[in-house]
Amino acid sequence: MPTPADDTRLRAELVELLPPPEAAELTPLRHQVLRHRILNAAQAPARRRRVPRFALPAAAGAALAATLVAAVVSGEPHGPAGPSRDGGVAVPAAPTAGQVLARAALAASATPRAAARPDQFVYIESLTAHAARRADGGPVALPAAHRRQVWLSADGTREGLLREAGSPDSALGVRGPVGLIDHRGATPRPGTLGPAEPSVTQPTHTFVAALPTDPETLLRLVYAQTRPTDGGDPHQRAFTAIGTLLTETWAPPRVTAALYEAAARIPGTTVLPRATDAAGRDGVAVARTAHGEQTQWIFDRTTSAFLGERTVLTRAGSAGPAGTLLGTTAVLTKAVADHPGVVPAAS
């Protein structure tokens, strides 16, 4: 039978195995690594893992608790954990929309900075397909995804280019001829139409690069510049606008991270455990539904990189049954080009 001395020796050995953490603050890099590990745990395969029940001596238990507190220093929420049938602690595996977007924000903050001069162009290559209405009013038909290349003037003052497989090239940002009237009754004089003022719905790289990096401030700006005039859903308009910025612009890492964090504050977002982009890449999606259509943002399961988006019918209608795919996009390349029509070597 164990003696009190044996019990004391066992306690001491357990305490040595679980030393208390250092009190010094974590470095920014260590803080980021720990946060990423915690968020990765929330993205684990959907199964319930049980923590076995066992008793620890008081000193060892205190040391273990202190160690766990230090490990969870980032404070990321993982959803409620409740008791399992056998009395252990059930660790939830399914992430929330906020957690998926938080992981995407963390991944975005570590990506290379988009450095385009005002005289350069942002090059975006993607695969895309959008359903078209049939002439007889029947269900929509989604064509095969095709290659899409776009060169966007960084500051919006130069003519860009849109190139899509099967279609002629289209100039972007053309300053077409117009008739200018100096005052009422005056004879129109020849003029040109200048570029539109940059905004959330008509962004340029320069505009996006200067967006606020505080998520609350950024979200207020998005709501203000997408406010519906027809009584539409303001939350869906904000969600859609942020999605367009993710697919059609190349923002600096801190702005991209702020866009994800801002989107996490939009009510009504949900998570789809599986979704596939136009390139066939499988991932996890953050989605929002409005007016019978669901917009899905797809993220890589491992890296949390943004892959693309899809739009799906959630209820049957003239366009087709529920589940009908209305549009799909896969973002393949984002780079900087010196001239429209020239594919950057890095891509």
Side-chain angles (χ1 to χ4, degrees):
M1 178 178 295
T3 65
D6 293 333
D7 186 50
T8 300
R9 185 170 58 256
L10 177 60
R11 290 169 183 260
E13 290 175 351
L14 287 173
V15 170
E16 290 179 357
L17 291 173
L18 296 169
E22 296 181 1
E25 293 184 356
L26 296 175
T27 65
L29 177 60
R30 182 60 177 162
H31 185 284
Q32 185 182 57
V33 170
L34 285 175
R35 182 184 179 195
H36 199 205
R37 287 179 179 174
I38 293 170
L39 291 173
N40 276 335
Q43 190 72 2
R47 66 176 184 269
R48 297 172 68 84
R49 295 169 292 166
R50 292 180 175 87
V51 179
R53 293 176 295 172
F54 57 90
L56 282 178
L64 176 60
T67 302
L68 291 175
V69 168
V72 193
V73 67
S74 68
E76 278 296 329
H78 293 131
S84 63
R85 293 180 181 176
D86 62 2
V89 177
V91 180
T96 65
Q99 289 166 351
V100 174
L101 291 170
R103 294 182 70 230
L106 184 62
S109 65
T111 59
R113 178 176 176 82
R117 300 191 310 266
D119 62 319
Q120 291 182 307
F121 296 80
V122 172
Y123 171 76
I124 301 175
E125 181 178 343
S126 60
L127 291 178
T128 185
H130 295 282
R133 292 277 184 176
R134 288 171 38 176
D136 60 4
V140 298
L142 186 73
H146 63 271
R147 188 185 190 201
R148 180 178 184 271
Q149 298 166 284
V150 62
W151 289 261
L152 302 169
S153 172
D155 65 358
T157 64
R158 292 161 179 79
E159 186 176 283
L161 181 68
L162 171 63
R163 178 172 293 165
E164 294 191 83
S167 301
D169 290 356
S170 300
L172 299 177
V174 178
R175 300 184 180 187
V178 296
L180 301 179
I181 300 178
D182 296 325
H183 55 81
R184 181 178 297 179
T187 301
R189 58 183 177 82
T192 57
L193 182 64
E197 187 71 20
S199 66
V200 168
T201 56
Q202 293 183 317
T204 64
H205 177 75
T206 303
F207 173 83
V208 172
L211 284 173
T213 55
D214 174 70
E216 290 287 353
T217 304
L218 178 57
L219 188 58
R220 285 196 297 269
L221 176 64
V222 171
Y223 272 112
Q225 296 194 0
T226 60
R227 184 176 292 112
T229 58
D230 56 357
D233 184 347
H235 305 306
Q236 186 65 18
R237 291 177 69 94
F239 189 82
T240 300
I242 292 177
T244 301
L245 291 173
L246 295 173
T247 56
E248 288 292 290
T249 66
W250 190 16
R254 290 185 63 190
V255 173
T256 301
L259 287 170
Y260 290 132
E261 293 176 8
R265 291 163 165 78
I266 298 177
T269 55
T270 58
V271 170
L272 299 178
R274 293 199 63 179
T276 305
D277 70 3
R281 299 176 297 189
D282 181 72
V284 59
V286 171
R288 194 176 191 283
T289 303
H291 311 300
E293 296 182 6
Q294 184 179 78
T295 302
Q296 306 170 3
W297 299 345
I298 307 171
F299 298 92
D300 185 277
R301 296 182 186 280
T302 303
T303 66
S304 295
F306 180 79
L307 299 179
E309 66 175 10
R310 303 190 336 152
T311 304
V312 180
L313 282 180
T314 58
R315 61 172 180 247
S318 60
T324 298
L325 185 60
L326 300 178
T328 179
T329 298
V331 179
L332 304 179
T333 301
K334 291 186 178 182
V336 174
D338 291 326
H339 305 283
V342 178
V343 177
S347 64

